[in-house]
Amino acid sequence: MSSNHGISYDGLKYALNIKESYRSGEPLTVTGAAKQQRLLMPEHLLSNDLALMQYDDPLALAVIATKDPESPMALAAAIRMGPHAKCKELITGVFEVVSEATKHELVADCAKLLTKNAFSPEAFHLVRTRASNHVVEIREAYRRAMGDNLRALLDGKMEAREFVEEFIELASNGNLRIDIYRRLVMKLMRSDAVRPSVKFMLLERLDRFPQMVKLQIVNEVNSAPDTPEYQTLKQELRWIYEAKQKQKMPHAAQTPINASVNAAGTRLAAADLVGRSQIDFGAAAGMHRRNSIIKPAEPVLKRNASPNIMTSGGFSTRELSSWLN
């Protein structure tokens, strides 16, 4: 397929990959310094000084502008797509479709304003200013919501599980800068006012955090003093790590669902095998009921009666690298 009209096979591939990321709930990322994956932010799309590889393709931008659930990202993608629409007649038509198909009224208004003004520099300046202000406003609204939730948690008006789920959703959907995201998580992990169960749930959901935040959490727990609370957190982190390592082993086989005895000779009920999950939050936190959020379809793993945990409960740099990268 020729790219003379602004559309190419690579562009179609990028667009389909982005569409699949939205369908599976995977965040959009860009490759930063030292080839580290970072979250794609509205500021990246609004900057004319950054080359964003696949995100500079008009079809990829069209998917973001129509599919992203949050208006700042969708708006930034539509604005970045504007110069393509100005130069290619076919992309102009796609841009008009975006203005009709997007779920965000602000995106539609800005797209129509650009089209009506023939993509003039004045029109671009206006929509970029509007988009930058919108990003700030949305982030502030999400931060207020997170603060309200924290007060509700500390006042006993909100369950720990609900707080953690909403915290992750608000942090992700609010397009928080990575440094702010990291500071918020660290404040929760370090606070004596936050119940240990909240910290356990944050550890459970490590895979839902951006890479830099995930690494910071692990390092924070790893280097913490050996208080009873942190010893238990380190122990939980060790179990998570060992579960990850078992998943990576190609020869690791799941225990048959009808097996009655495991390798250690402990008798297991069929219900235990069905209900067992990768991370046994209930056992680590000392609670009497299973955490219902953990997906039961994950590989069957059995903790040893005496886990192999170092005295400090920490990890080596090599272990961290093999898990997180």
Side-chain angles (χ1 to χ4, degrees):
M1 183 183 298
S2 173
S3 61
N4 292 337
H5 298 292
I7 292 179
S8 65
Y9 281 118
D10 283 342
L12 287 173
K13 180 180 68 176
Y14 299 148
L16 290 174
N17 287 342
I18 292 171
K19 183 179 179 181
E20 183 58 34
S21 294
Y22 282 122
R23 183 176 298 168
S24 61
E26 291 294 322
L28 302 182
T29 59
V30 292
T31 303
K35 296 185 178 180
Q36 285 190 340
Q37 293 298 310
R38 301 174 183 269
L39 291 180
L40 180 67
M41 308 295 284
E43 289 89 346
H44 298 153
L45 295 172
L46 290 172
S47 173
N48 291 324
D49 300 325
L50 294 177
L52 297 179
M53 306 299 286
Q54 70 267 32
Y55 299 117
D56 277 322
D57 187 273
L59 290 184
L61 293 169
V63 173
I64 298 174
T66 54
K67 294 291 185 181
D68 200 283
E70 300 303 319
S71 57
M73 281 289 290
L75 180 59
I79 293 172
R80 194 176 186 92
M81 184 183 174
H84 296 283
K86 178 181 180 180
C87 299
K88 302 289 183 179
E89 185 177 355
L90 179 58
I91 303 303
T92 302
V94 175
F95 193 71
E96 292 174 354
V97 172
V98 167
S99 68
E100 299 296 333
T102 183
K103 62 184 72 175
H104 305 291
E105 184 178 353
L106 183 58
V107 177
D109 289 344
C110 287
K112 291 175 182 176
L113 187 149
L114 288 173
T115 303
K116 182 179 179 180
N117 290 274
F119 303 98
S120 67
E122 295 79 11
F124 271 113
H125 176 73
L126 179 62
V127 296
R128 284 181 186 279
T129 301
R130 188 175 183 184
S132 297
N133 292 337
H134 181 63
V135 170
V136 173
E137 292 168 0
I138 290 295
R139 281 182 176 154
E140 183 58 33
Y142 274 90
R143 280 199 291 266
R144 285 198 301 269
M146 295 170 79
D148 292 341
N149 283 355
L150 180 57
R151 283 191 290 273
L153 174 74
L154 298 179
D155 292 341
K157 299 177 181 178
M158 193 174 197
E159 293 292 333
R161 184 181 296 115
E162 181 185 3
F163 170 81
V164 171
E165 289 299 316
E166 289 201 11
F167 175 85
I168 295 174
E169 290 297 323
L170 289 170
S172 301
N173 296 337
N175 299 124
L176 294 181
R177 293 204 319 269
I178 201 70
D179 56 329
I180 296 176
Y181 198 149
R182 188 167 56 230
R183 284 202 301 270
L184 288 173
V185 175
M186 288 304 98
K187 285 182 179 179
L188 289 175
M189 295 297 293
R190 295 169 181 166
S191 174
D192 293 332
V194 175
R195 292 163 51 191
S197 60
V198 173
K199 300 175 184 180
F200 276 106
M201 291 180 187
L202 288 172
L203 290 182
E204 279 188 330
R205 289 151 182 77
L206 272 178
D207 287 339
R208 295 183 59 183
F209 290 104
Q211 183 78 358
M212 293 180 65
V213 177
K214 185 192 305 184
L215 183 60
Q216 185 73 22
I217 294 173
V218 173
N219 284 333
E220 175 73 17
V221 175
N222 190 42
S223 60
D226 290 333
T227 62
E229 178 184 339
Y230 271 106
Q231 276 285 24
T232 311
L233 289 174
K234 291 178 182 182
Q235 186 172 333
E236 179 67 9
L237 201 56
R238 166 63 63 178
W239 276 323
I240 294 172
Y241 171 76
E242 290 178 351
K244 291 277 186 183
Q245 293 303 102
K246 289 181 182 179
Q247 283 183 326
K248 291 180 180 179
M249 294 172 60
H251 60 276
Q254 290 189 5
T255 305
I257 203 67
N258 58 352
S260 59
V261 180
N262 68 357
T266 304
R267 183 166 296 276
L268 300 174
D272 291 334
L273 289 168
V274 173
R276 194 173 301 280
S277 59
Q278 175 185 336
I279 304 168
D280 188 352
F281 168 78
M287 298 175 68
H288 299 293
R289 61 177 182 174
R290 187 75 61 184
N291 182 1
S292 61
I293 294 178
I294 303 175
K295 297 180 180 179
E298 293 179 349
V300 176
L301 297 174
K302 177 70 172 70
R303 289 181 175 168
N304 298 325
S306 300
N308 180 22
I309 304 174
M310 296 184 295
T311 304
S312 65
F315 297 86
S316 68
T317 303
R318 190 172 184 177
E319 288 175 326
L320 288 176
S321 177
S322 67
W323 176 22
L324 297 176
N325 295 329

